[in-house]
Amino acid sequence: MTTRARRRGQGRVRWVVAILLLLAVATIYAPQLLAFPYKQRIGTGTVYAERPIDPRIASELAHAEGLLRASPIYTGPLDRSLFLTDGGWRWRLLAIQSPGAFAFRRPFSSAIVFNRSDIAADRVTNGRAIGGIRTLSGVITHESTHIMIANHVGEVRSAMLPTWQQEGYADHVARESSLTDADAARLRKTDPAATALVYYDARRRVAAALSAKRGSVDAFFAGG
């Protein structure tokens, strides 16, 4: 192969890699590019799903909205895109570094992607034996709270907050944990570094911190 031909070949490879990277980034921030077969506009949000959308999703969204309204940083209904997966290839492609999560929302995005979702049971699962089930309405609330935090303190400042503040406050607003007290005690003995414990402890720490700040969320985010 001549030097010129080799250079042309290398140039084509670089273009292919660049295009694939561009598509990957576009998919990460626009999951709808994966052609979710079902779509429904509900209130200010759009629900995308891999299965027919059970009408009970409306009541679950309403319940989540009620929880969000109770937060002092609530400013009104959020324009979100919710992507409900069955934990298959779409989830694995989109989750990338967090396949064991219940859901995720990326910075500067209003798209929320959910792991194994069951509208009828109001449930999201992540496959873990302990702490592997949460309510769908609770996870909607949790991830939407991340958007509210970013809107309140700014996206960059939000990303700099310690995990216990970010995740603990989101669970505080959602009013739930994936662990019962008994689950947490058992998990501390078998897997003290488990992610579920990080969330469980963070929620309790946030409750204590807010109490110390007399309920002031601004003081909480300003001073921890």
Side-chain angles (χ1 to χ4, degrees):
M1 180 183 293
T2 65
T3 301
R4 182 177 296 178
R6 186 179 300 109
R7 288 175 178 171
R8 281 201 299 267
Q10 291 172 343
R12 292 191 191 99
V13 170
R14 283 194 289 269
W15 272 108
V16 170
V17 170
I19 291 171
L20 289 175
L21 287 174
L22 181 61
L23 288 173
V25 171
T27 300
I28 287 171
Y29 279 90
Q32 60 268 32
L33 294 177
L34 296 181
F36 281 78
Y38 301 96
K39 174 183 176 182
Q40 183 177 346
R41 183 75 177 176
I42 302 175
T44 58
T46 303
V47 177
Y48 296 82
E50 296 188 16
R51 304 174 185 174
I53 300 173
D54 189 304
R56 280 171 281 197
I57 187 64
S59 64
E60 291 161 11
L61 284 166
H63 178 60
E65 190 67 18
L67 294 170
L68 293 168
R69 284 178 184 275
S71 169
I73 63 174
Y74 177 87
T75 57
L78 297 169
D79 187 357
R80 301 156 297 180
S81 295
L82 310 181
F83 296 85
L84 307 182
T85 81
D86 61 7
W89 68 269
R90 286 184 178 86
W91 170 257
R92 290 193 297 272
L93 180 61
L94 292 168
I96 305 177
Q97 294 180 339
S98 53
F102 287 100
F104 67 85
R105 171 255 175 189
R106 299 196 188 286
F108 301 98
S109 171
S110 61
I112 303 172
V113 183
F114 298 78
N115 203 339
R116 301 177 183 90
S117 310
D118 186 338
I119 296 173
D122 187 21
R123 184 173 63 197
V124 181
T125 60
N126 65 8
R128 299 187 187 280
I130 301 177
I133 301 174
R134 295 191 68 158
T135 65
L136 175 57
S137 52
V139 178
I140 291 171
T141 306
H142 178 105
E143 296 301 330
S144 298
T145 299
H146 285 309
I147 298 176
M148 292 201 309
I149 294 172
N151 289 343
H152 188 70
V153 305
E155 200 72 63
V156 175
R157 168 66 179 143
S158 173
M160 295 172 64
L161 291 172
T163 298
W164 75 267
Q165 279 190 304
Q166 274 271 16
E167 304 302 343
Y169 188 72
D171 269 2
H172 175 79
V173 175
R175 299 183 189 178
E176 72 172 27
S177 170
S178 64
L179 298 174
T180 63
D181 292 344
D183 287 335
R186 188 162 75 252
L187 201 55
R188 286 190 203 284
K189 296 178 181 178
T190 60
D191 187 7
T195 301
L197 280 174
V198 174
Y199 283 65
Y200 175 86
D201 291 338
R203 182 188 175 199
R204 294 163 68 90
R205 185 175 176 182
V206 165
L210 284 173
S211 178
K213 302 290 184 183
R214 297 185 179 182
S216 172
V217 176
D218 284 327
F220 166 70
F221 283 123

